[in-house]
Amino acid sequence: MSEYFVYTDKMTVGYNGVPLIKDIEIRLKKGEILTLIGPNGAGKSTILKSITRQLSLIAGTVYIDQKSIKEMTEKDTAKKMAVVLTERIRPELMTCEDVVNTGRYPYTGRLGILSEEDHQKVREAMKLVHASELADCDFSAISDGQRQRVLLARAICQEPEIIILDEPTSFLDIRHKLELLTILKDMVSKKNVAVIMSLHELDLAQKISDQVICVHGSAIERYGEPEDIFTSEYIKKLYGVTKGSYNADFGCLELEPPSGTPEVFVIAGNGSGIPVFRKLQRKGIPFAAGVLHENDVDCQVAKALAAEVVTEKAFCEISTEAYEKARKIMNSCKKVICCVQEYGPMNERNRLLEKEARENGNCV
């Protein structure tokens, strides 16, 4: 296992001696991100707490840099590993800078006195996560998102070789989600740090992870690269999705399509129809769409939200068969919405559909 910086050997985790997940085999190199996904209560946080020694292992061993974590002192562990978990810490009478300062304690003497170099590293870490303006604020008085950034700054100035994070983006707005993940990616690529974290945002996990672990039931159900894990059918199975759908290509969720016979026909293409599809779905109006090429982004969303979709093979001219099918459905609908501004030779027959709808006076 010398090629791995973090690995486990038959790790079993749980509570009060009762196993929750057995025989967990993690393999992680420096410069990689490993993400745990799975439904609530599956045991993702339990795995992370067990790796960080907040929970005792029921069986097996965790190794960091070829050394069993059981044999490492707390100070040695703190120099190797930084931890950002979801539990809300409530330090008494501490400013945000005081909290970040604790990230330097593994490098100080018994009195915990920080040098000027330590203070500089603290300031740099807070600046990196855009928390400099919070330095003098009472840590207990700031928002959850601000706390998350302060705790990340503490982890960064600890200068670890591995960072463990439990749902680090949960309380962050979109700007700070992206900034946090960018910071982690930079640390991984530039400082050769290893990262293990759990995420609920599947689109982010799909984009940032080198390896993904799927926690389901009493075992690790799948372990591999995002391209092997994130398929629409498997994600639905992993999370037990019974309403709506998940699109692995887009990394997005869609609600259930409105039920009933199509009332509106949408002529779309090249992404022009997606806002209309979602608006009709929100209003509960069943609709049909076509003719859409199978490689068109509109086609993916239409299949999730429309009552009926007329398609054509990618890169092919719309066939007479597809045109006549779309024409029949269109003429049975009360209204037609055309989202297309220009037509090329491949979708010329969609122009004919629009022309007929306008002549019939039901195109809006």
Side-chain angles (χ1 to χ4, degrees):
M1 295 294 176
S2 59
E3 68 271 31
Y4 297 109
F5 181 70
V6 182
Y7 63 93
T8 63
D9 180 25
K10 298 180 180 179
M11 181 173 78
T12 297
V13 302
Y15 296 89
N16 302 318
V18 179
L20 177 64
I21 306 170
K22 301 178 180 179
D23 298 328
I24 302 166
E25 303 287 342
I26 290 174
R27 305 285 182 265
L28 183 65
K29 298 176 182 178
K30 293 184 77 172
E32 289 185 336
I33 295 177
L34 172 65
T35 303
L36 280 62
I37 65 171
N40 288 334
K44 302 183 295 297
S45 296
T46 304
I47 293 173
L48 297 180
K49 289 178 181 178
S50 300
I51 293 173
T52 60
R53 299 200 299 192
Q54 295 193 21
L55 286 176
S56 298
L57 294 177
I58 292 177
T61 310
V62 177
Y63 294 92
I64 296 179
D65 201 11
Q66 311 306 311
K67 190 173 184 179
S68 169
I69 199 170
K70 297 176 183 177
E71 301 171 3
M72 299 171 66
T73 66
E74 288 189 6
K75 191 167 186 176
D76 288 340
T77 304
K79 289 181 178 180
K80 291 283 186 183
M81 178 194 301
V83 182
V84 181
L85 298 182
T86 52
E87 282 80 0
R88 297 182 181 180
I89 64 172
R90 297 288 183 183
E92 293 294 330
L93 304 176
M94 290 182 70
T95 67
C96 293
E97 186 172 9
D98 292 335
V99 172
V100 180
N101 284 343
T102 62
R104 296 303 302 166
Y105 285 175
Y107 303 95
T108 64
R110 291 185 178 180
L111 298 178
I113 298 174
L114 273 63
S115 67
E116 179 52 38
E117 181 183 355
D118 291 322
H119 284 295
Q120 181 61 29
K121 291 182 184 296
V122 167
R123 289 191 291 269
E124 289 174 356
M126 296 190 75
K127 182 178 180 181
L128 188 62
V129 300
H130 302 286
S132 299
E133 72 281 3
L134 301 173
D136 296 324
C137 296
D138 184 341
F139 182 80
S140 62
I142 61 177
S143 71
D144 289 333
Q146 290 170 325
R147 283 195 191 98
Q148 200 78 338
R149 285 189 279 142
V150 170
L151 295 176
L152 179 61
R154 182 183 67 172
I156 290 170
C157 76
Q158 198 172 324
E159 296 184 313
E161 295 180 72
I162 175 174
I163 300 181
I164 311 289
L165 308 102
D166 191 9
E167 299 176 24
T169 58
S170 293
F171 303 118
L172 301 180
D173 58 37
I174 186 170
R175 170 195 166 186
H176 291 107
K177 284 180 194 287
L178 294 173
E179 287 180 352
L180 181 146
L181 295 179
T182 300
I183 290 167
L184 289 179
K185 199 68 176 175
D186 286 345
M187 292 182 70
V188 166
S189 62
K190 295 177 182 177
K191 297 187 178 182
N192 208 31
V193 173
V195 172
I196 302 178
M197 64 179 171
S198 63
L199 282 179
H200 277 306
E201 297 94 332
L202 298 182
D203 55 332
L204 299 180
Q206 186 174 3
K207 293 175 176 68
I208 196 172
S209 308
D210 295 296
Q211 298 289 327
V212 177
I213 284 180
C214 304
V215 187
H216 194 204
S218 61
I220 300 301
E221 190 170 82
R222 285 194 184 185
Y223 188 162
E225 295 181 353
E227 292 74 21
D228 299 323
I229 299 295
F230 288 95
T231 65
S232 299
E233 288 306 312
Y234 176 66
I235 293 298
K236 286 184 67 174
K237 173 179 175 292
L238 175 64
Y239 286 90
V241 176
T242 57
K243 299 290 185 181
S245 61
Y246 172 78
N247 187 301
D249 294 327
F250 295 162
C252 68
L253 301 170
E254 298 292 353
L255 298 175
E256 285 279 282
S259 59
T261 303
E263 299 176 14
V264 175
F265 188 87
V266 183
I267 302 171
N270 198 30
S272 63
I274 292 176
V276 175
F277 300 158
R278 288 182 175 152
K279 187 172 184 177
L280 290 169
Q281 191 278 337
R282 289 197 305 273
K283 292 181 176 295
I285 300 173
F287 67 93
V291 178
L292 294 171
H293 287 88
E294 292 173 352
N295 63 333
D296 196 309
V297 291
D298 275 344
C299 189
Q300 299 290 326
V301 180
K303 284 182 176 179
L305 298 180
E308 194 165 359
V309 184
V310 182
T311 64
E312 183 56 80
K313 293 179 181 178
F315 309 112
C316 291
E317 182 181 346
I318 294 174
S319 64
T320 302
E321 181 183 2
Y323 166 72
E324 290 297 340
K325 182 178 179 181
R327 182 170 176 267
K328 181 179 180 181
I329 297 171
M330 182 184 75
N331 288 328
S332 70
C333 292
K334 299 175 183 177
K335 293 182 179 180
V336 177
I337 298 175
C338 183
C339 308
V340 180
Q341 300 296 319
E342 297 180 358
Y343 298 94
M346 295 300 180
N347 66 341
E348 168 63 17
R349 284 194 165 101
N350 277 343
R351 186 186 65 79
L352 298 179
L353 290 175
E354 180 190 0
K355 180 182 178 183
E356 182 172 346
R358 292 194 181 282
E359 289 173 350
N360 293 336
N362 61 351
C363 186
V364 296

